[in-house]
Amino acid sequence: MKDMKLVVAGAGGRMGQALVRAIAEMPGAVLHGAIERDGSPVIGRDAGELAGAGHADVAITTDPLAAIAHADGLLDFTTPAVSADLAGYAAQARIAHVIGTTGCGADEDAKIAAAARHATIVKSGNMSLGVNLLAVLVRQAARALDAADFDIEVLEMHHRHKVDAPSGTALLLGEAAAAGREIALADHSVRVRDGHTGPREAGSIGFATLRGGSVVGDHSVILAGQGERITLSHHAEDRSIFARGAVKAALWAHGRKPGLYSMLDVLGLSDR
Ligand SMILES: NC(=O)C1=CN([C@@H]2O[C@H](COP(=O)(O)OP(=O)(O)OC[C@H]3O[C@@H](n4cnc5c(N)ncnc54)[C@H](OP(=O)(O)O)[C@@H]3O)[C@@H](O)[C@H]2O)C=CC1
Ligand SMILES: O=C(O)C1=N[C@H](C(=O)O)C[C@H](O)C1
């Protein structure tokens, strides 16, 4: 079978460069195109050389439609507005679109869901195997431990450049906890605490955000009871775990019927 031809959006970014390296290392995929923001200083550079993966003979360009015209899939770790637009292009081209971008609002999520009628979209706040397995464990723990006895808090830390909070992963883990408790996260989450907050509301799911240095991504879900505490954690040491997951997702999505899928589907951890 022919290698899957992949385009990397945001090819000059932290994840973009990790994706270019992952494609070079993984069988079954080949770098076909690389796009960046109009005006980016990396336009015209070879994507492989920029990423330290050797010459790829793929120049970074600005036109997404031209880049995906003859591609099979798009790997996209950019910004919410860009990902929503790219989903529309992926739908027109009827290709696979792997979205790792976090911080999407309701508008962007609606555009992505609409695009998934024609594109095969895999979207997840975290593409690593470890975090997705952690989500399954969090769901089980939240189901097993009664809300009256155990409080759930999600703690995350990331590098100083991260622009969205709580992280996509923290929200994914919060959703897993809410699913275990059979509640809607939106109705029970406490995203910020400041000042005289009063006592903790029973059954709520709290979030705490730390930012600093070069931390790739640390997440803990704490289930705190009377006299005991369970902590389920994941520590990302390298962005290659997300990049390899994204390439795996693209290979999984190639030729699959259009729809909006998650990494749990890709990894066979979904119960749907
Ligand atoms: N799901 C997961 O597993 C993971 C998700 N992420 C998420 O991925 C996203 C990116 O993270 P990271 O790589 O650290 O961020 P970066 O800022 O390093 O990368 C984003 C890149 O997208 C580029 N970009 C901006 N606009 C466009 C455009 N119109 N077309 C093409 N490229 C564009 C940026 O260019 P410029 O800087 O010039 O504006 C930048 O190079 C974040 O939302 C992050 O949370 C990160 C790691 C793992
Ligand atoms: O911005 C990052 O770096 C990361 N973003 C994702 C998130 O928001 O959870 C995944 C990972 O933790 C790194």
Side-chain angles (χ1 to χ4, degrees), residues 184-262:
L185 180 63
D187 300 337
H188 292 83
S189 70
V190 176
R191 310 245 306 223
V192 180
R193 291 190 183 100
D194 187 27
H196 186 84
T197 60
R200 189 181 197 285
E201 194 176 322
S204 59
I205 296 175
F207 291 86
T209 299
L210 306 179
R211 294 283 176 268
S214 58
V215 179
V216 174
D218 287 352
H219 293 89
S220 293
V221 178
I222 302 160
L223 298 107
Q226 197 63 44
E228 60 180 332
R229 207 157 62 242
I230 298 154
T231 304
L232 300 169
S233 296
H234 180 268
H235 303 282
E237 295 173 358
D238 196 288
R239 288 186 177 83
S240 62
I241 59 170
F242 312 129
R244 285 198 302 268
V247 176
K248 189 170 180 169
L251 294 171
W252 178 89
H254 192 26
R256 201 167 287 266
K257 79 171 175 14
L260 184 54
Y261 301 92
S262 77

Side-chain angles (χ1 to χ4, degrees), residues 100 102 125-126 158-159 162 164 166-170 216-217 219 239 242:
T102 57
N126 198 300
H158 284 86
H159 53 93
K162 187 161 177 61
D164 56 309
S167 69
T169 309
V216 174
H219 293 89
R239 288 186 177 83
F242 312 129

Side-chain angles (χ1 to χ4, degrees), residues 8-17 34-42 61-62 64 76-83 85-86 99-104 123-128 132 158-159 161-164 167-169 172 216 239 241-243 246 263:
V8 173
R14 283 175 288 274
M15 276 307 299
Q17 294 188 41
I35 51 175
E36 256 297 341
R37 175 182 59 79
D38 204 5
S40 162
V42 301
T61 60
T62 57
D76 165 16
F77 290 61
T78 55
T79 68
V82 172
S83 292
D85 286 348
L86 290 177
I99 303 177
T101 308
T102 57
C104 290
K123 182 173 186 288
S124 175
N126 198 300
M127 300 282 173
S128 76
N132 284 280
H158 284 86
H159 53 93
H161 305 289
K162 187 161 177 61
V163 294
D164 56 309
S167 69
T169 309
L172 177 161
V216 174
R239 288 186 177 83
I241 59 170
F242 312 129
M263 252 343 248

Side-chain angles (χ1 to χ4, degrees), residues 116-206:
R117 288 201 291 266
H118 302 294
T120 308
I121 298 182
V122 180
K123 182 173 186 288
S124 175
N126 198 300
M127 300 282 173
S128 76
L129 171 63
V131 158
N132 284 280
L133 180 62
L134 179 66
V136 173
L137 300 176
V138 165
R139 184 175 173 154
Q140 285 176 356
R143 181 180 293 132
L145 302 173
D146 200 274
D149 300 324
F150 281 85
D151 302 322
I152 301 180
E153 296 281 312
V154 184
L155 172 66
E156 57 111 334
M157 181 162 188
H158 284 86
H159 53 93
R160 62 167 71 107
H161 305 289
K162 187 161 177 61
V163 294
D164 56 309
S167 69
T169 309
L171 294 171
L172 177 161
L173 295 171
E175 289 287 0
R181 292 255 162 103
E182 297 184 10
I183 57 173
L185 180 63
D187 300 337
H188 292 83
S189 70
V190 176
R191 310 245 306 223
V192 180
R193 291 190 183 100
D194 187 27
H196 186 84
T197 60
R200 189 181 197 285
E201 194 176 322
S204 59
I205 296 175

